[in-house]
Amino acid sequence: MHDAAHLVADGTFLERRTTCVFAVMDGDRHEILSGAYGVHEFVPTHLLAFFGGLRDQGLMPKSATVDGNPCLAGTLRAIFPGITIQRCVVHVQRQGLMWCRRYPKRAAGKHLRALFLRVVRIETYAERDVFLSDVLAWEARYGAALAKASEGGWVASDLKRARSMLLHALPNLFHYLDDPAIPSSTNMMEGYFSRMKELYRGHRGLARRHRDAYFRWHFAKNRF
C-alpha cells in the first residue's frame, strides 16, 4: 500500500440500511485504498479491525476527511495518533440547512441558515475569521438563550440540534486552509459510491453469501 497522506473515509447503505459498505480513498490521487462489505461505520469493532489492518500494511496518514460520525473520528484518532480530522463541510451545510428548514420563520433560524449557506464558500483565513466572528455573534444573540429554553416542538428541537452540530464541528471545519491537500468534503467518495451502486444494481440476484467476494473484487478492480 502506498503512503497516502490525506484520506477520505465514508460508508454507505445499499439496501434498506441493512447492507453496509465502507471504504477509504486517497484524497490526493482520488483512488480507493481499501473497501469492505459488512463494515458498519457506527460499530467500533468493525472500524478498529478495518483501520488496524491498514495501519499494519504501513498506512500512516496525516489527515482524514469524514462526516460527523464520532465513532469514525474516534477510531481514526486511536489507530493513527496525531491525525488531523477534517469535518466534511458539505455534510455540515446539508444537515444544518435541513434542521433550519427552507423558509424558517424565527429570526434565530433565518440567521443560522444564512451561516450554513456560507460554510462551503470559505477559501481564505480572512473569510474564516469573519465567519467565526459571525457565529459568535449569533451565539451571543440567540444561541445561549435557545440552549436554555424549555420550549418543545420539532422546530425548536431542530434549531438546537443545528446549533450544537455547528459548534462541535467548528474546531475541525477549516483544516483545509492550513493544508490545501486536505479535502474539505467527502464528495469524491460519494461520487464513487454512486457509481458503485449503479454497478451493484446489475447484480440484484447476487446471493448474500457471495456479496463479500463480489465487493472484494469490485474494490480491487474499480479503484478510481
Side-chain angles (χ1 to χ4, degrees):
M1 177 174 293
H2 62 69
D3 185 20
H6 305 291
L7 307 181
V8 177
D10 202 4
T12 189
F13 290 100
L14 298 176
E15 298 169 353
R16 299 181 182 179
R17 303 186 71 82
T18 59
T19 303
C20 312
V21 173
F22 187 83
V24 290
M25 180 176 280
D26 182 335
D28 297 313
R29 298 175 175 86
H30 293 207
E31 176 185 352
I32 287 290
L33 296 174
S34 183
Y37 169 81
V39 173
H40 198 303
E41 63 179 316
F42 288 94
V43 179
T45 53
H46 288 190
L47 295 177
L48 285 168
F50 182 88
F51 285 110
L54 295 181
R55 178 196 57 197
D56 294 344
Q57 294 178 53
L59 184 66
M60 289 299 294
K62 296 178 181 178
S63 78
T65 301
V66 300
D67 60 19
N69 176 3
C71 181
L72 175 54
T75 300
L76 285 163
R77 289 189 174 106
I79 297 293
F80 306 111
I83 192 172
T84 295
I85 300 297
Q86 167 67 45
R87 281 289 299 271
C88 172
V89 297
V90 173
H91 274 86
V92 170
Q93 182 187 73
R94 187 185 302 156
Q95 186 65 69
L97 292 176
M98 186 184 77
W99 277 331
C100 287
R101 308 292 197 276
R102 188 178 181 88
Y103 301 108
K105 296 181 179 180
R106 302 184 178 202
K110 291 178 181 179
H111 288 285
L112 186 57
R113 187 176 191 278
L115 288 171
F116 280 117
L117 286 171
R118 291 163 56 189
V119 165
V120 300
R121 301 199 301 266
I122 295 172
E123 298 178 351
T124 67
Y125 287 122
E127 291 173 344
R128 179 203 62 184
D129 292 344
V130 171
F131 176 80
L132 293 177
S133 177
D134 290 343
V135 171
L136 290 176
W138 181 91
E139 177 66 13
R141 185 174 182 182
Y142 302 108
L146 179 67
K148 296 177 182 177
S150 59
E151 177 186 358
W154 288 108
V155 173
S157 295
D158 284 351
L159 273 180
K160 290 179 181 179
R161 291 188 182 97
R163 168 188 175 268
S164 178
M165 189 260 302
L166 179 58
L167 293 180
H168 281 92
L170 284 179
N172 295 307
L173 201 54
F174 301 115
H175 292 307
Y176 64 89
L177 295 177
D178 301 321
D179 184 347
I182 297 177
S184 63
S185 79
T186 61
N187 279 357
M188 66 178 75
M189 182 66 81
E190 293 189 12
Y192 179 88
F193 281 151
S194 178
R195 296 188 294 274
M196 180 190 73
K197 290 176 182 179
E198 292 267 348
L199 293 172
Y200 178 69
R201 291 190 189 102
H203 300 273
R204 283 297 192 185
L206 191 67
R208 185 172 294 274
R209 65 183 182 277
H210 294 150
R211 290 177 188 173
D212 180 63
Y214 169 77
F215 281 105
R216 279 191 280 110
W217 168 84
H218 173 88
F219 284 121
K221 185 174 185 295
N222 300 278
R223 292 197 171 274
F224 294 95

